Amino acid sequence: MEIPTPMCRACGVDRELIEIEHANATFDVPHYRCPICNDVLRLAIRHGNGPEQDEQFG
């Protein structure tokens, strides 16, 4: 699943993807940096497991 590039709230510009940390088998954590203020945003993204994932939570 592709996510849009997040914007920096303070500067109003698109952040740059600088690294993707592979936290574990379930999560990746992309790191986005603002080119103006150098603030780094980390987002935890869960890998989709298909229909089984809905059964675990529902």
Side-chain angles (χ1 to χ4, degrees):
M1 179 176 152
E2 189 72 25
I3 63 167
T5 303
M7 292 183 69
C8 177
R9 288 187 184 194
C11 302
V13 298
D14 286 340
R15 294 174 181 262
E16 300 170 342
L17 178 64
I18 56 172
E19 176 184 5
I20 298 179
E21 175 185 346
H22 299 289
N24 57 38
T26 307
F27 289 96
D28 282 343
V29 183
H31 297 213
Y32 293 94
R33 182 179 54 86
C34 174
I36 296 174
C37 68
N38 291 321
D39 182 55
V40 176
L41 173 69
R42 295 177 190 97
L43 299 174
I45 299 178
R46 183 181 302 207
H47 296 284
N49 292 335
E52 316 76 61
Q53 186 177 9
D54 293 334
E55 292 173 10
Q56 292 175 355
F57 300 107

